Amino acid sequence: MARLTFLGTGTSQGVPMIGCDCNVCRSCDPKDKRLRSSVFVEYRGLDILVDAGPDFRQQMLRSGIRHIDAILLTHNHKDHTGGLDDVRAFNYIERAPIRIYCEKYVEDSLRNEYSYAFAEKRYPGVPEWQITNIDDRPFRVHANIPSVRLVWVEGKGYEKIPVTPESWSETRQRPVPEEAEIIPVRGRHYMLPVLGYRFGRIAYLTDMNFIPEEEFGKLRGLDHLIINCVRRGRHISHFSLEQAIEVAEKVGARQTYLTHLSHQLPRYEELCAELPPAIRPAYDGLVIESDDE
Ligand SMILES: [Zn+2]
Ligand SMILES: [Zn+2]
Ligand SMILES: [Zn+2]
């Protein structure tokens, strides 16, 4: 089973945008409040996060996420990587590095932007990442079960509790996770290569304005397609509303959700009204599920 939670569905500036008085930015509808784009996917017992933007901390707290087996990065833009320092909380509680899967150029970029996390003599308390390079071929993600977990005991402070796969599965009330195969989907974001990801019958594609013809084979038989769309009319690096609808119709998933939305699109309710029923705007907190593998 795959279960996907939208943690953020906004474009790089989020919605509302700082300093803007437009109709959408002033909307009182919670569905018009969009943190930066990221999704949490529970797939084959694994907890997988796609992208960790500047709202990462708030998204973890808001959704009550207490463990992550893997973070998959789509590309190196800050609205998708700006929260990676905050994985320190997971490092601290689980006494283990966080596993990150990304392309080589994305890792190079992290090495520049977060040089302190890669320094030979690292300052205590910097984020701990274990990076695996991937390309556009399917790859496997494994469970990252910690061997201990810090648990707060009132009046005493933190206690280190040993963790076994059995105790882990009991606390989380689900079977010991298996490994999962994930299919990357290649797209382009103006000049930049980006990766989307397919989990069973759900595919998450963001920050694209072009998908090579040969990649459409990876998108057959989907229950849910998630695709980015920033506004109406052409944009240099994102699908427009019109282009996203075109891709959605070509892929033919049972249901398509639009994400990475900006305030230049109508309010949620108005946008729903103008889209065909098989295409919906996503919103923060929306959960979708797919039973079939
Ligand atoms: Zn973005
Ligand atoms: Zn606005
Ligand atoms: Zn981007």
Side-chain angles (χ1 to χ4, degrees):
M1 197 204 60
R3 183 174 192 264
L4 180 148
T5 306
F6 288 90
L7 304 178
T9 55
T11 190
S12 61
Q13 305 242 31
V15 181
M17 193 183 92
I18 296 172
C20 185
D21 295 317
C22 80
N23 190 31
V24 176
C25 289
R26 284 187 296 108
S27 166
C28 297
D29 185 348
K31 290 178 177 163
D32 287 320
K33 311 278 182 217
R34 302 182 185 278
L35 296 180
R36 266 61 70 88
S37 291
S38 168
V39 291
F40 184 64
V41 187
E42 293 153 86
Y43 183 48
R44 298 191 160 219
L46 297 171
D47 293 336
I48 301 166
L49 181 74
V50 184
D51 290 332
D55 298 317
F56 170 83
R57 175 179 171 275
Q58 195 184 340
Q59 289 164 330
M60 294 303 102
L61 293 172
R62 186 165 78 169
S63 297
I65 295 169
R66 302 175 72 91
H67 171 77
I68 292 172
D69 289 299
I71 300 179
L72 317 183
L73 299 176
T74 56
H75 64 304
N76 64 350
H77 283 163
K78 261 298 193 319
D79 57 320
H80 300 260
T81 60
L84 282 172
D85 185 84
D86 281 324
V87 305
R88 287 177 295 120
F90 290 110
N91 296 152
Y92 183 72
I93 296 280
E94 297 189 344
R95 292 286 188 254
I98 276 274
R99 294 182 184 166
I100 298 177
Y101 295 76
C102 64
E103 291 193 80
K104 173 78 168 61
Y105 86 87
V106 179
E107 176 180 353
D108 292 344
S109 179
L110 297 181
R111 284 178 180 276
N112 268 323
E113 289 169 34
Y114 293 97
S115 55
Y116 59 91
F118 296 92
E120 224 161 84
K121 283 197 174 156
R122 287 183 299 158
Y123 193 82
V126 299
E128 287 177 59
W129 305 327
Q130 184 189 312
I131 301 179
T132 303
N133 286 156
I134 51 171
D135 51 29
D136 51 10
R137 290 170 298 181
F139 61 98
R140 287 183 179 280
V141 166
H142 303 271
N144 191 18
I145 303 175
S147 56
V148 292
R149 192 173 176 92
L150 295 192
V151 176
W152 181 260
V153 183
E154 215 50 64
K156 283 186 168 175
Y158 276 114
E159 279 192 1
K160 224 186 240 184
I161 308 291
V163 178
T164 61
E166 294 70 34
S167 71
W168 184 247
S169 116
E170 205 174 296
T171 332
R172 290 156 45 96
Q173 296 181 318
R174 55 165 106 152
V176 180
E178 313 152 40
E179 55 172 24
E181 186 182 76
I182 293 157
I183 302 170
V185 181
R186 169 68 68 207
R188 272 213 322 264
H189 187 27
Y190 183 45
M191 303 290 273
L192 196 69
V194 298
L195 288 179
Y197 299 102
R198 176 172 179 156
F199 309 88
R201 288 179 184 268
I202 301 181
Y204 178 74
L205 313 180
T206 192
D207 290 59
M208 296 185 178
N209 69 331
F210 177 76
I211 302 171
E213 199 51 46
E214 60 272 21
E215 293 298 280
F216 280 89
K218 295 178 178 173
L219 300 171
R220 284 200 199 109
L222 288 178
D223 281 341
H224 304 289
L225 168 70
I226 297 130
I227 189 158
N228 65 297
C229 144
V230 73
R231 65 170 193 216
R232 294 184 210 277
R234 285 188 81 82
H235 184 277
I236 191 167
S237 58
H238 286 275
F239 285 126
S240 65
L241 181 60
E242 300 78 7
Q243 291 169 323
I245 294 171
E246 220 171 273
V247 174
E249 282 167 356
K250 182 167 174 183
V251 171
R254 202 162 53 75
Q255 190 71 52
T256 297
Y257 296 92
L258 306 176
T259 193
H260 213 285
L261 307 172
S262 84
H263 64 142
Q264 294 183 58
L265 284 162
R267 291 182 180 193
Y268 175 80
E269 288 295 347
E270 290 166 40
L271 186 53
C272 277
E274 71 173 71
L275 290 170
I279 305 179
R280 299 286 85 184
Y283 56 87
D284 290 23
L286 171 66
V287 179
I288 55 175
E289 280 186 4
S290 163
D291 280 334
D292 297 311
E293 288 301 307

